[in-house]
Amino acid sequence: AQSVAQPEDQVNVAEGNPLTVKCTYSVSGNPYLFWYVQYPNRGLQFLLKYITGDNLVKGSYGFEAEFNKSQTSFHLKKPSALVSDSALYFCAVRDWSAGNMLTFGGGTRLMVKP
Amino acid sequence: KAGVTQTPRYLIKTRGQQVTLSCSPISGHRSVSWYQQTPGQGLQFLFEYFSETQRNKGNFPGRFSGRQFSNSRSEMNVSTLELGDSALYLCASSAGDPEYNEQFFGPGTRLTVL
């Protein structure tokens, strides 16, 4: 089974509306979870992480994510989307069963329309 | 602080050749990881180095190798290039233990194999 999954290839949202980019994980033990964003022709940029503590994690650029252990999810959210948020978003998890490597989801393209 | 730098940014090689890619991490960072990004396979983990020691290796053939120097700079080498090796190769560095610290990515080296 895939360690981390992003079920949506693309998410479309209107500017000013809330956005959610979904991520589910499947690793044993306590997961270390991360969100990264990639703008065109750029490397990835770190947004936020969950290691331990509060289930609601706040990150860069107004993004936040909620760790839900029972649903094995770590969805990325933002209350009000900006056109400049349009990019490729990656969820990642430390997979202890796979040699402790950082495994990325397939990515979700977020399109925010004015 | 300067970010992660990767050289060269673009590279064109032919099948059967070998290539060496270079990565200079952020000053003070001791961990360097390498990833391969392709449209079909997404982001796949190659190697992770910490203080010159390879801590993890992804599921890639032995043609892919890497090393880290005492100044934390890292190189990866691909021998006997195949068409399928065409990809964006991303390097990332992190301060401290990369298990739970965010990674800072370079812009990548785009390798085209003809």
Side-chain angles (χ1 to χ4, degrees):
Chain A
Q2 208 173 8
S3 304
V4 58
Q6 295 179 242
E8 301 156 317
D9 289 337
Q10 181 161 318
V11 169
N12 297 312
V13 64
E15 187 174 31
N17 283 1
L19 70 87
T20 298
V21 183
K22 295 179 181 177
C23 171
T24 58
Y25 65 91
S26 174
V27 299
S28 56
N30 296 319
Y32 290 176
L33 294 155
F34 302 82
W35 274 103
Y36 287 86
V37 59
Q38 186 177 33
Y39 296 100
N41 301 315
R42 303 270 297 274
L44 279 68
Q45 294 179 30
F46 169 78
L47 282 177
L48 49 80
K49 65 181 178 183
Y50 173 82
I51 304 300
T52 187
D54 289 341
N55 290 342
L56 184 64
V57 179
K58 293 190 182 296
S60 307
Y61 313 121
F63 285 93
E64 59 187 29
E66 185 168 10
F67 171 65
N68 188 317
K69 191 170 185 176
S70 62
Q71 297 186 4
T72 62
S73 68
F74 189 56
H75 300 332
L76 181 70
K77 299 182 179 185
K78 187 174 182 182
S80 178
L82 300 172
V83 173
S84 57
D85 292 330
S86 298
L88 191 55
Y89 290 79
F90 291 95
C91 181
V93 66
R94 277 282 170 181
D95 190 347
W96 313 112
S97 66
N100 197 25
M101 66 178 70
L102 187 64
T103 302
F104 284 84
T108 297
R109 185 163 300 283
L110 174 66
M111 300 289 290
V112 182
K113 298 183 179 178
Chain B
K1 249 184 189 180
V4 177
T5 58
Q6 292 187 245
T7 56
R9 290 293 311 278
Y10 302 91
L11 208 48
I12 299 176
K13 293 285 188 179
T14 57
R15 279 181 300 175
Q17 287 187 310
Q18 77 165 16
V19 66
T20 299
L21 311 182
S22 181
C23 171
S24 292
I26 291 173
S27 177
H29 285 194
R30 294 161 59 192
S31 169
V32 172
S33 299
W34 288 90
Y35 300 88
Q36 181 196 64
Q37 186 176 21
T38 59
Q41 299 297 318
L43 267 166
Q44 292 188 286
F45 169 78
L46 280 158
F47 322 98
E48 182 180 276
Y49 290 90
F50 187 75
S51 295
E52 300 180 70
T53 300
Q54 186 180 88
R55 296 201 344 174
N56 284 302
K57 188 177 191 298
N59 189 24
F60 278 82
R63 301 185 295 107
F64 291 79
S65 62
R67 58 179 176 169
Q68 186 180 31
F69 301 96
S70 58
N71 62 358
S72 294
R73 192 177 68 85
S74 178
E75 288 181 349
M76 67 163 282
N77 184 79
V78 188
S79 62
T80 321
L81 284 167
E82 300 177 359
L83 294 179
D85 297 333
S86 295
L88 180 67
Y89 289 87
L90 293 167
C91 168
S93 73
S94 62
D97 195 320
E99 281 195 2
Y100 46 82
N101 286 295
E102 57 267 33
Q103 297 188 335
F104 295 83
F105 283 78
T109 294
R110 184 163 297 281
L111 172 65
T112 302
V113 182
L114 302 175

